[in-house]
Amino acid sequence: MSINVSQQLKAPIGSVRNYEVSEVVDIAGGGSLVQGELRLMRTDRGILAKGTLHTEVEVTCSRCLSLFSCPLALNIEEEYFPAVDVVSGAWLPVPDEPGCFIIDEHHILDLTEAICQYALLAIPMKPLCGEDCAGLCPNCGHNLNHGPCDCPSQGMDPRWSELSKLLYM
Ligand SMILES: [Zn+2]
Ligand SMILES: [Zn+2]
């Protein structure tokens, strides 16, 4: 997702450009459509990209193990630093901030890496397909969201009940 910012780098500090995002980005091994609007603002050092993007990724429910589409909101706020001076073409020193983003020598600001990073952070540690996900029967493994299984509700093997406590902690 590349934006040419050469004009904006020549613009005065504080100048703003809105950029409409609607692109498929490879997140966590699958292509996800990312949509939203970003504000690009010229700062004294580079370009600040700020805005909320929305996407969905396929994840596995931690309770019933089925795949579902998990909506993510990405609150992007990243400053991009130019690799070269847009007027003179001279190389600029890279700021010594870990993980900072660079606008390349062709004045291309690439959002893909930031979007991937924000998306990976936004994916819940224990995703649930729904707050009321019924999970799997600890006895036979049946997905209880699809209805009850034939297991007797009483007299569950105590070893399984211990295991299920661990599974659903
Ligand atoms: Zn589930
Ligand atoms: Zn069962």
Side-chain angles (χ1 to χ4, degrees):
M1 194 177 306
S2 305
I3 311 168
N4 189 315
V5 292
S6 61
Q7 288 309 310
Q8 201 175 6
L9 284 172
K10 291 173 192 159
I13 292 169
S15 60
V16 166
R17 167 183 170 194
N18 289 324
Y19 184 80
E20 200 73 42
V21 175
S22 180
E23 215 158 316
V24 174
V25 177
D26 198 1
I27 299 168
S32 300
L33 178 63
V34 179
Q35 289 181 300
E37 196 178 69
L38 282 184
R39 254 167 90 88
L40 303 177
M41 190 174 79
R42 177 72 166 110
T43 64
D44 56 341
R45 300 190 297 176
I47 303 270
L48 179 70
K50 191 174 176 185
T52 302
L53 304 179
H54 297 274
T55 190
E56 289 191 349
V57 291
E58 284 267 292
V59 293
T60 304
C61 175
S62 61
R63 212 179 272 170
C64 71
L65 308 182
S66 57
L67 273 178
F68 70 101
S69 193
C70 178
L72 302 178
L74 316 177
N75 296 310
I76 307 265
E77 183 169 353
E78 284 297 336
E79 193 169 13
Y80 286 75
F81 301 96
V84 297
D85 186 283
V86 70
V87 179
S88 70
W91 288 91
L92 295 171
V94 177
D96 61 349
E97 292 175 28
C100 73
F101 292 104
I102 302 294
I103 301 165
D104 74 9
E105 66 272 31
H106 307 293
H107 317 300
I108 300 297
L109 186 160
D110 189 354
L111 289 169
T112 311
E113 181 61 29
I115 288 172
C116 286
Q117 288 184 12
Y118 277 76
L120 290 178
L121 286 174
I123 296 172
M125 297 288 278
K126 290 196 171 185
L128 284 182
C129 63
E131 283 301 320
D132 55 352
C133 171
L136 301 177
C137 168
N139 202 25
C140 70
H142 174 80
N143 185 340
L144 298 172
N145 295 313
H146 301 156
C149 57
D150 296 328
C151 296
S153 52
Q154 308 282 314
M156 185 196 284
D157 187 324
R159 285 169 302 172
W160 279 110
S161 98
E162 280 308 307
L163 182 65
S164 70
K165 271 186 216 151
L166 290 174
L167 281 170
Y168 298 128
M169 255 189 335

